Amino acid sequence: MSTIGILLFDGVEELDVVGPWEVFTASSALLERAGAVRCRKGMRVLTDFSFTDHPPLDVLVVPGGDGVLLGVQDPALLRWLAEVGARARWVVSVCTGALLLHASGLGKGRRLATHWAFEDRLAELGAEVVRDARWVRDGNVVSSQGVSAGIDVALWLVGQLHSPAHARATQRYIQYDPAPPYADG
C-alpha cells in the first residue's frame, strides 16, 4: 500500500484537492500544519498531519490555488517540498501547483503542465511548459493543467501503483466519464 500525501495550504483550490482525493480515498492528508485549513472558496478541511509529523510518502500531491502565490515565497515550504519530494516515488502537481514544483526545484529541468492562465508565467520563470496536453509525465514528476486534469492524473497514478484494471474499476466506481455540455463551443 502506498502512502499518499496531499499538501494543503490556505487558499488551496478545493477541486485540486478533492478531485484527486476522491480517487485516492485511502490517502492520508499531508498538511502545512495540523488543524483547520480554509480553502480558496471557503471550504474548511481538518488536517491529519503537519510538516513535522507526517509518515514517509510514496506520492506527494501538490495542488494549486491562490495560496500558491504566497507559497512560492515561503522558504520553509519550498525546502520541505524539495526534501519530501526528493524521497517520494511520485510527485504530482495539479493546476498552479506546478509553480510550487518549479520554485522548490522539483520541477526544474522538467517538462511541466499548468493552468492555461499561468503557462506564460511559468515559462517566464524558466520552466519548460507543455501547453497542449492535459497532463505530462517527466520522470517521476507528473503535472496537470487544471482541476479535471488532476482527476485524470490521479486515475493514471492508481494504474501505476496498482494496475490499469484497478484504475478502470476506480474510474467506474466514481462514474468519472467527462462529457462537458459545452465542449464544442
Side-chain angles (χ1 to χ4, degrees):
M1 176 157 285
S2 298
T3 303
I4 300 170
I6 301 175
L7 174 68
L8 294 180
F9 47 85
D10 286 335
V12 69
E13 180 65 43
E14 288 86 348
L15 284 177
D16 286 3
V17 172
V18 178
W21 177 83
E22 177 68 21
V23 176
F24 302 132
T25 56
S27 71
S28 299
L30 176 66
L31 311 159
E32 182 173 337
R33 63 187 185 280
V37 172
R38 183 173 300 279
C39 298
R40 182 170 181 254
K41 295 178 182 83
M43 183 175 84
R44 292 174 56 88
V45 178
L46 186 61
T47 65
D48 291 329
F49 299 104
S50 71
F51 280 158
T52 60
D53 67 356
H54 64 84
L57 299 178
D58 299 305
V59 178
L60 172 60
V61 179
V62 181
D66 290 345
V68 164
L69 300 178
L70 292 175
V72 296
Q73 299 174 30
D74 182 343
L77 171 63
L78 298 176
R79 190 169 39 257
W80 178 86
L81 280 170
E83 291 170 5
V84 172
R87 293 189 301 268
R89 180 174 167 200
W90 294 102
V91 177
V92 179
S93 71
V94 180
C95 199
T96 56
L99 292 165
L100 286 171
L101 290 189
H102 184 73
S104 70
L106 291 170
K108 291 211 172 158
R110 309 243 190 193
R111 296 169 37 246
L112 297 172
T114 191
H115 188 278
W116 62 266
F118 285 84
E119 289 175 339
D120 289 342
R121 185 175 191 166
L122 187 57
E124 289 167 4
L125 295 172
E128 183 182 341
V129 178
V130 177
R131 298 171 187 263
D132 58 352
R134 287 178 54 77
W135 58 275
V136 62
R137 173 188 177 189
D138 191 333
N140 72 329
V141 173
V142 187
S143 54
S144 64
Q145 290 184 325
V147 295
S148 64
I151 296 170
D152 294 350
V153 166
L155 284 166
W156 176 82
L157 192 54
V158 166
Q160 300 301 300
L161 296 170
H162 303 286
S163 71
H166 179 72
R168 282 190 292 279
T170 302
Q171 180 175 331
R172 184 174 186 272
Y173 177 76
I174 65 173
Q175 290 192 297
Y176 184 65
D177 186 17
Y182 303 106
D184 296 319

